Amino acid sequence: MMYQFLKTPEELAEWLKKIENTSWIGLDTEFISEGKFTPLLCLIQIATEEGLFLIDALSVGSLRVFWERICREDTLILVHACRSEMEFCHHEIGRIPRNVFDIQLAAGFAGSDYPSGFKSIGEHFANIILPKAETRTNWQKRPLSMLQIDYALNDVCYLHEIASGIRQKLKETKRLSWFQEEMSSMLDSLLISFEKEDWTELPGILHLTSNECAVAKALWDWRRHEAESRNRPECRILRDDLIVELAKRKTADPERIGALRGMQYLQKSIPRIAEVIAEALSGSDVDLPEPLYENSFPQYSTICQFIRTALSDFSRKKNIALSLIASPRDIREYIASYYKTLPKARKARLRIGWRKKLLGPLLKELMSGNIAIRLTGKVDDPIEIVSVDHSLDLLGEDSE
């Protein structure tokens, strides 16, 4: 397999001139994240109209000019499962590209499971059989073997072919605009996740009081600073569940903190944790965060199960991944919006965009009681959605 290996700043600069006018770039990265707060980027694989390229991220120096090139609006970026690449880009230059075609996301609209691995998508849409022998390789070690290089190049050399096949399928099924809408939404969500205060996403955080939220936020901030300064995963500093439990206890007593199950492995950190909690508890009421339970809403568990069962059958017959159509959270928010118990600041995703077009009629009839779900007795097609009014065509035709 012919390729060029870029190892110096001069080689990178010369290559960027060479691809100045390319209309698309296939992109993948190899990195080491185990035991680290910030993953170590080791290798960047590139496919363009001009050929295949590898960038040695360990020796080439600053990658800022590279990521700036990736963000050009006139260049389509082809990638599989783009989160890591977008995060590296944002970390380097504070923004991410917007002209992105993620084949994992696109495949979910074209009949593939979501999320699906690159090997599975290659086989499904281009009859390409890809070896995966180097998935646990040490990408930091130099020199790279030919097996490593071939594996890395395989991740980009077929991207354009696979993306073209999926795009054609989406055009034929009139789902291309759906994918483009979801791609834009995904990039928006990634950007928010790279920048927002994630303490509000701690499991079990919703029903904490303002004082307890203050403790949780203080512990989260301390943990993040410690993890970043020591380049260790945040969970190795203090687990999520321990942050919430310490917040509930609202104690700065080192003995009581140390008595909490799970803290026995963090004895050296207990004095500092106690100081962080004490500082949070002594803060002014003006500085207290709003309790997050105000943004919670009824879960309607039984109705959620019913809706999910119907959507599972619907998605199978429409040949689109259920996990892409609606998450459990999406379903809960839709039901809460139907009963007008969803907080005004939140918008149910199933009521907007392509999801509304695809699911609107079905959900309306489900919630109004005009549909029954029954077992068919068939193992390969066990569920049937039956309309009380047999004139309703709930599967219908897709439309953009």
Side-chain angles (χ1 to χ4, degrees), residues 295-298 300 332 335-344:
N295 292 321
S296 64
F297 53 89
Y300 304 109
R332 290 195 299 269
I335 296 169
S337 72
Y338 181 87
Y339 289 116
K340 303 188 186 318
T341 57
L342 188 68
K344 292 181 180 179

Side-chain angles (χ1 to χ4, degrees), residues 5 11 66 80 186 213 225 287 314 336 339 347 360 380 390:
F5 207 160
E11 289 174 344
F66 167 76
H80 171 266
M186 173 188 279
C213 283
H225 178 268
D287 300 326
F314 181 81
Y339 289 116
K347 186 74 173 178
D380 58 343
H390 295 285

Side-chain angles (χ1 to χ4, degrees), residues 119-133:
K119 185 176 186 293
S120 173
I121 293 174
E123 292 175 6
H124 187 102
F125 292 99
N127 294 319
I128 297 169
I129 308 300
L130 296 170
K132 301 300 287 184

Side-chain angles (χ1 to χ4, degrees), residues 57 85 141 159 184 292:
E85 287 70 31
K141 186 178 179 180
L159 274 174
S184 179
L292 297 174

Side-chain angles (χ1 to χ4, degrees), residues 19 40 67 87 89 112 145 163 193 227 266 270 371:
I19 65 159
L40 176 65
W67 292 116
E87 190 163 13
C89 183
S112 179
S145 69
S193 73
L266 303 170
I270 287 177
I371 288 177

Side-chain angles (χ1 to χ4, degrees), residues 1 3 25 31 37 55-56 62 99 106 113 164 173 187 213 218 226 251 268 282 285 308 318 335 352 357 377:
M1 195 178 299
Y3 69 97
I25 293 176
F31 54 90
F37 176 80
I55 301 175
D56 190 341
S62 173
N99 191 8
D113 290 336
S164 297
T173 56
L187 293 173
C213 283
E226 282 291 300
T251 179
K268 293 182 179 179
S282 64
D285 289 346
R308 185 168 176 81
K318 298 294 284 186
I335 296 169
I352 57 177
K357 294 178 183 178

Side-chain angles (χ1 to χ4, degrees), residues 97-379:
R98 301 299 306 189
N99 191 8
V100 179
F101 191 100
D102 188 322
I103 66 167
Q104 184 182 72
L105 181 65
F109 285 95
S112 179
D113 290 336
Y114 180 80
S116 286
F118 184 62
K119 185 176 186 293
S120 173
I121 293 174
E123 292 175 6
H124 187 102
F125 292 99
N127 294 319
I128 297 169
I129 308 300
L130 296 170
K132 301 300 287 184
E134 300 296 321
T135 54
R136 301 295 294 178
T137 196
N138 180 4
W139 293 104
Q140 189 175 4
K141 186 178 179 180
R142 294 293 184 272
L144 296 174
S145 69
M146 284 310 302
L147 284 175
Q148 289 174 307
I149 290 173
D150 286 343
Y151 168 86
L153 291 172
N154 276 332
D155 281 346
V156 293
C157 69
Y158 301 109
L159 274 174
H160 189 263
E161 179 182 349
I162 295 171
S164 297
I166 297 175
R167 179 185 286 273
Q168 182 59 37
K169 183 77 176 287
L170 295 181
K171 287 182 178 179
E172 292 170 359
T173 56
K174 300 180 180 179
R175 294 178 180 178
L176 182 58
S177 69
W178 294 4
F179 160 73
Q180 291 169 337
E181 179 186 325
E182 193 66 13
M183 188 74 249
S184 179
S185 177
M186 173 188 279
L187 293 173
D188 289 342
S189 297
L190 286 175
L191 194 57
I192 291 171
S193 73
F194 298 153
E195 297 175 348
K196 75 174 183 178
E197 294 185 356
D198 288 333
W199 73 274
T200 59
E201 300 295 326
L202 286 167
I205 198 76
L206 283 180
H207 296 286
L208 298 189
T209 65
S210 290
N211 283 314
E212 291 166 348
C213 283
V215 173
K217 183 180 185 304
L219 288 172
W220 187 89
D221 287 340
W222 167 79
R223 181 183 71 172
R224 187 170 186 82
H225 178 268
E226 282 291 300
E228 187 170 10
S229 63
R230 295 160 60 182
N231 196 19
R232 297 185 62 193
E234 291 177 274
C235 63
R236 300 269 188 93
I237 305 298
L238 185 63
R239 297 198 318 253
D240 286 352
D241 60 312
L242 291 177
I243 288 179
V244 174
E245 190 59 36
L246 288 168
K248 289 179 180 177
R249 297 194 176 200
K250 291 186 293 187
T251 179
D253 181 353
E255 289 191 9
R256 289 188 61 192
I257 292 172
L260 180 62
R261 190 172 64 203
M263 294 299 298
Q264 65 269 27
Y265 307 109
L266 303 170
Q267 293 299 312
K268 293 182 179 179
S269 298
I270 287 177
R272 180 58 187 139
I273 290 173
E275 291 177 2
V276 171
I277 294 174
E279 291 170 6
L281 292 175
S282 64
S284 167
D285 289 346
V286 177
D287 300 326
L288 292 178
E290 291 293 327
L292 297 174
Y293 68 80
E294 293 183 357
N295 292 321
S296 64
F297 53 89
Q299 300 299 291
Y300 304 109
S301 298
T302 301
I303 304 175
C304 284
Q305 293 172 18
F306 177 82
I307 296 292
R308 185 168 176 81
T309 300
L311 292 186
S312 176
D313 180 72
F314 181 81
S315 67
R316 179 176 56 83
K317 290 174 179 174
K318 298 294 284 186
N319 204 28
I320 184 170
L322 173 61
S323 58
L324 189 55
I325 290 179
S327 68
R329 177 174 178 172
D330 292 333
I331 296 172
R332 290 195 299 269
E333 290 184 349
Y334 175 84
I335 296 169
S337 72
Y338 181 87
Y339 289 116
K340 303 188 186 318
T341 57
L342 188 68
K344 292 181 180 179
R346 304 177 78 154
K347 186 74 173 178
R349 286 210 304 169
L350 302 189
R351 285 187 175 274
I352 57 177
W354 68 269
R355 290 181 175 84
K356 179 181 179 180
K357 294 178 183 178
L358 177 65
L359 303 175
L362 174 65
L363 290 174
K364 179 180 179 181
E365 297 304 319
L366 281 169
M367 295 303 294
S368 62
N370 294 328
I371 288 177
I373 301 176
R374 69 182 182 188
L375 296 175
T376 64
K378 303 174 184 178
V379 175

